[in-house]
Structures are given as C-alpha cells and as structure tokens.
Amino acid sequence: MTLQGTIAAGHTATADAAAAMLEAGGNAFDAVVAAGFASAVCEPGFTSLAGGGFLLARTADGRDRLIDFFVDTPGRGRPDGAPEPVFEEVSVRFAAADQAFHCGPGSVAVPGTLAGYLHIHHTLGRLPLAAVVAPAAQLATGGVAVSDNQAHDFALLAPILERTEASRAIFFPDGQLLGAGDVLHNADLGTFLLALGDAPTATFYTGDLAHRFVDQLAAGGGLMTLEDLAAYRVIERVPLRFGYRGRTVLTNPPPTFGGALLGVALRRLDRHGTLPPAGTPELACLLATVMADVDADRRAGHPEVTAALRGDLGDDPNARPVVTRGTTHVTVADGEGNVAAMTTSNGECSGDVIVGTGI
C-alpha cells in the first residue's frame, strides 16, 4: 500500500474532500483547495468563500511560498459625500463575558478566499477545477450534519446569523437554529460551485454577479465598490524563516503578526534550555506562560516583539505590521513531498449572504 498523504482538518467532511483529491491522483494543493471549498459548506461559522486566508506551501522541489489572500479594505472610488456605512451592533455571549460586535453591510471587507483558492489551484494544482469543487458541491446540495464545534459556534453567532432572511434560510431553516446532528443544506452554494467548476471566471469579482453583490451591500449601507472587487489581487510573499533547536521554521511573514510572535515565543523557549517532557503539565504551563508574556509584550511595545513585527527574525527587512487572524485550518502533506498549510476565516461574519450564491 502506497502512502498517499497526511491530512489534518477542522471537520471530517473537510478532510474527506482532501483525501478524495489524493486518491484521484491530485497533489497536496489540489487537496487543500478541495478542503477549503468543503469547509465553506461544513464549517460556515468559521470560514466562507467571502472570507480571507493564507497558504504556506512547500513544493516537492523545495520551493517555499506564502500565498496571502486575506481580505482587503473596501471603499475604492466612493464619491465624496457618500452615505456613512451601516453597522449593526450585536452582543455575543461568551462563557466569560458578553462582547459587542459590529456586523452588517458596513462590516463586509473585500473577499479574498475565492480568489485565493483559484490562484492556488491554477499555480500549484493539477486536477480539473470541476473535480476539486465536486465534494463541496455535493455536501452543499445533499446536506452535511452539523458538528458539535459548529453547533457551538452557531449558538454564539446566532444574533448575527439571524440578521437577514437569506441567512435565516440556511441556519434557521424551520425557525430554529441548527444544532449538533441537524443537517445543513445550502443548495445555492452547491449550484454556484458547480458553475464555478465549469467556468473558473464565474466569480463575484467581475460581471453581473459583482454588480449584484455591490448593489446588495450598497442598499444596506455597505462600502464595497466594483472597483474594490476588480482591483483585488492575491499576493505571494517570502515566508518568515527562523531557527529553533536545530530545525528551520517557516511561517507567515509581516504584515501579519502571528508568525512573528511565534518566532519570539520559540526564541524565548530556547532560553529555557531543556524543556519538560512532551505531554506534561509542566510543559503546558511553560508554553502558556511564554505565549501570554509575548502577547502582553506586544501590547506594551516591548523592543524584542516590536523588532520581530518589523520582520527582524531573519530574512524579511521590508515587512510591516498589520493585525490578522484565522479561525479554521487545513494541513495536507502528500507522498511526493508537497506540503500545504492553510488558514481561513470569516471574522465573526456579517449575517449577509451574497444574493443567489449561498455565500
């Protein structure tokens, strides 16, 4: 039996979509894109095709690249005197505290996820796009059981998910919020994915759907413009690289700051010398302390952390800091030596659904 690859994902159906690509002769990048499309169906509390993300890639021939398809700031070409954006404040009840979020049309950024998936597929994949989107389209049309994690997230996001009629149709199909074990259907998303597989240019970045998307948001007080969508570009960056205990670590470079903070944390762990054994409470406490200290130092402007956010961890002197974060992750390593690690996010979502797409 030939080892085809290793997959880690946030939902069984996401992992299954990736596995189907490897079994069909695809590589890690076909698999991670298929997983991404599937996660938009089965992990909609965490990610969607209108969110943003990052892919860290190591190809079988030893090339490293970071593909940045995070969201962009909207508002290009808005005329002077245009109406102020509309935000709707909702309260999300976490275990420790209630937190106010501002959602609705004014909160919608320029999407990057769909453009990112298409870029990864075009530059690194080898299977037809129709095959790559097929598992996600089947999940959307046939339905997928809501996992415990997604049910918990839906409950947190309920005040946002019930904002619009289109969102309620997906998440409150019978007037009740979907819970663990209930089946989520998104036929419009299934139809969109099948059309995309046949025509990769059939996106919401140009054409009739772009006009409908912008008009929909503008009617509710959004900032998005046709110029925003047409101008969106996926960016390829050199990964941030640093050493740790005889290994080379590759991660997301500035302008994000997660990778830089990881570098500082590992540097500080190195100063501890011999670490407690793996799996012990002592190691868990040490890791928690180091991570908390690094984050506190970031907020306080500690010189070591500030330098790292400028890219001063090894090889990127031109980097600049901007905050981002992700909420679901897929990693695929295939038998050829390709490795793909991808994080995508919706933020807390807006409660808006792009008309006719289920996105």
Side-chain angles (χ1 to χ4, degrees):
M1 178 177 175
T2 301
L3 178 64
Q4 291 182 308
T6 301
I7 300 162
H11 192 287
T12 301
T14 302
D16 287 345
M21 297 304 103
L22 298 182
E23 291 167 357
N27 61 21
F29 307 109
D30 295 304
V32 82
V33 172
F37 279 115
S39 67
V41 181
C42 59
E43 301 178 76
F46 294 161
T47 186
S48 85
L49 300 185
F54 304 90
L55 174 87
L56 182 63
R58 158 59 70 95
T59 60
D61 60 3
R63 291 177 295 135
D64 304 315
R65 57 210 289 187
L66 188 286
I67 298 175
D68 179 345
F69 52 95
F70 202 64
V71 297
D72 198 5
T73 304
R76 287 177 175 83
R78 290 187 90 230
D80 293 339
E84 288 295 310
V86 174
F87 298 92
E88 183 174 328
E89 183 174 319
V90 300
S91 180
V92 175
R93 178 158 294 179
F94 295 96
D98 292 354
Q99 183 174 350
F101 286 95
H102 295 86
C103 58
S107 72
V108 178
V110 185
T113 297
L114 179 56
Y117 291 170
L118 295 176
H119 177 90
I120 296 161
H121 173 262
H122 177 72
T123 58
L124 293 170
R126 62 182 178 225
L127 293 178
L129 183 62
V132 173
V133 302
Q138 183 175 359
L139 286 171
T141 303
V144 59
V146 176
S147 68
D148 289 341
N149 282 343
Q150 285 301 299
H152 175 72
D153 201 58
F154 292 172
L156 287 175
L157 297 175
I160 302 175
L161 298 177
E162 65 184 357
R163 274 195 60 251
T164 66
E165 181 179 352
S167 182
R168 290 193 297 273
I170 298 170
F171 299 102
F172 295 78
D174 298 313
Q176 296 292 321
L177 179 64
L178 293 172
D182 291 338
V183 178
L184 183 151
H185 292 272
N186 193 335
D188 283 347
L189 181 54
T191 300
F192 174 85
L193 290 169
L194 291 174
L196 181 71
D198 290 337
T201 57
T203 72
F204 47 64
Y205 292 99
T206 59
D208 178 64
L209 184 53
H211 282 270
R212 286 188 283 144
F213 185 13
V214 168
D215 289 347
Q216 172 188 348
L217 291 178
L223 291 165
M224 191 87 69
T225 67
L226 289 172
E227 188 177 343
D228 289 328
L229 293 172
Y232 185 85
R233 295 293 183 272
V234 175
I235 300 171
E236 293 215 16
R237 306 184 189 278
V238 176
L240 184 63
R241 178 188 301 263
F242 53 87
Y244 176 70
R245 298 182 180 244
R247 302 281 185 171
T248 298
V249 179
L250 301 179
T251 187
N252 204 355
T256 67
F257 69 47
L261 296 185
L262 173 65
V264 174
L266 291 178
R267 180 186 292 169
R268 292 183 179 182
L269 279 175
D270 238 350
R271 297 171 191 160
H272 283 269
T274 303
L275 298 178
T280 62
E282 291 78 13
L283 179 60
C285 288
L286 175 59
L287 293 175
T289 298
V290 168
M291 289 188 289
D293 287 348
V294 168
D295 190 56
D297 287 347
R298 173 185 66 85
R299 298 172 189 276
H302 188 283
E304 181 185 27
V305 178
T306 301
L309 294 176
R310 291 197 304 266
D312 187 14
L313 275 170
D315 68 353
D316 191 0
N318 299 314
R320 55 188 177 83
V322 174
V323 58
T324 62
R325 66 177 64 189
T327 52
T328 194
H329 188 87
V330 181
T331 296
V332 182
D334 66 27
E336 302 170 27
N338 298 296
V339 182
M342 184 172 75
T343 297
T344 59
S345 178
N346 259 347
E348 72 275 6
C349 81
S350 71
D352 298 278
V353 179
I354 303 175
V355 61
T357 69
I359 300 171

